[in-house]
Coordinates of all heavy atoms in Angstrom, one line a residue:
L338 N -54.0 69.4 70.2 CA -54.7 68.2 70.7 C -53.8 66.9 70.7 O -53.7 66.1 71.6 CB -56.0 67.9 70.0 CG -57.1 68.9 70.1 CD1 -58.2 68.6 69.1 CD2 -57.6 69.0 71.5
S339 N -53.0 66.8 69.6 CA -52.1 65.6 69.5 C -51.1 65.7 70.6 O -50.5 64.7 71.1 CB -51.5 65.6 68.1 OG -52.4 65.5 67.1
G340 N -50.6 66.9 71.0 CA -49.6 67.1 72.0 C -50.1 66.8 73.4 O -49.3 66.6 74.3
C341 N -51.5 66.8 73.6 CA -52.0 66.7 74.9 C -52.4 65.2 75.3 O -52.5 64.8 76.4 CB -53.3 67.5 75.1 SG -52.9 69.3 75.1
V342 N -52.6 64.4 74.2 CA -53.1 63.0 74.4 C -51.9 62.0 74.6 O -50.8 62.4 74.3 CB -54.0 62.6 73.3 CG1 -55.2 63.5 73.1 CG2 -53.2 62.5 72.0
R343 N -52.3 60.9 75.1 CA -51.3 59.8 75.2 C -51.2 59.0 73.9 O -52.0 59.2 73.0 CB -51.7 58.8 76.3 CG -51.9 59.4 77.7 CD -52.6 58.5 78.6 NE -53.8 58.0 78.1 CZ -54.6 57.2 78.8 NH1 -54.2 56.7 79.9 NH2 -55.7 56.8 78.2
A344 N -50.2 58.2 73.8 CA -50.0 57.4 72.6 C -51.1 56.5 72.2 O -51.4 56.2 71.1 CB -48.6 56.7 72.7
S345 N -51.8 56.0 73.3 CA -52.9 55.1 73.1 C -54.2 55.8 72.7 O -55.1 55.1 72.3 CB -53.1 54.3 74.3 OG -53.4 55.1 75.5
D346 N -54.3 57.1 72.9 CA -55.5 57.8 72.5 C -55.5 58.2 71.0 O -54.5 58.2 70.3 CB -55.6 59.1 73.3 CG -55.6 58.8 74.8 OD1 -56.0 57.7 75.2 OD2 -55.2 59.7 75.6
M347 N -56.6 58.5 70.5 CA -56.8 58.9 69.1 C -57.4 60.2 69.1 O -58.5 60.5 69.6 CB -57.7 57.9 68.3 CG -58.0 58.4 66.9 SD -59.2 57.4 66.0 CE -58.1 56.2 65.4
V348 N -56.8 61.1 68.3 CA -57.4 62.4 68.0 C -57.8 62.4 66.5 O -57.1 62.0 65.6 CB -56.3 63.6 68.2 CG1 -57.0 64.9 67.8 CG2 -55.8 63.5 69.5
A349 N -59.0 62.8 66.2 CA -59.6 62.8 64.9 C -60.2 64.1 64.6 O -60.7 64.9 65.4 CB -60.6 61.7 64.7
R350 N -60.2 64.5 63.3 CA -60.9 65.6 62.8 C -62.1 65.1 62.0 O -62.0 64.4 61.0 CB -60.1 66.5 61.9 CG -60.8 67.8 61.4 CD -60.1 68.5 60.3 NE -60.9 69.6 59.8 CZ -60.8 70.1 58.6 NH1 -59.9 69.7 57.8 NH2 -61.6 71.2 58.2
L351 N -63.3 65.5 62.5 CA -64.6 64.9 61.9 C -65.0 65.8 60.7 O -65.9 65.3 59.9 CB -65.6 64.8 63.0 CG -65.2 64.0 64.2 CD1 -66.4 63.8 65.1 CD2 -64.6 62.6 63.9
G352 N -64.5 67.0 60.6 CA -65.0 67.8 59.5 C -65.2 69.3 60.1 O -65.5 69.4 61.2
G353 N -64.9 70.3 59.2 CA -65.1 71.6 59.7 C -64.2 71.9 60.8 O -63.0 71.6 60.8
D354 N -64.8 72.5 61.9 CA -64.0 72.8 63.1 C -64.3 71.8 64.2 O -64.0 72.1 65.4 CB -64.2 74.2 63.6 CG -65.7 74.4 64.0 OD1 -66.5 73.7 63.5 OD2 -65.9 75.3 64.8

Side-chain angles (χ1 to χ4, degrees):
L338 294 173
S339 299
C341 293
V342 300
R343 303 169 303 178
S345 59
D346 302 334
M347 170 188 275
V348 181
R350 181 189 175 205
L351 306 186
D354 61 336

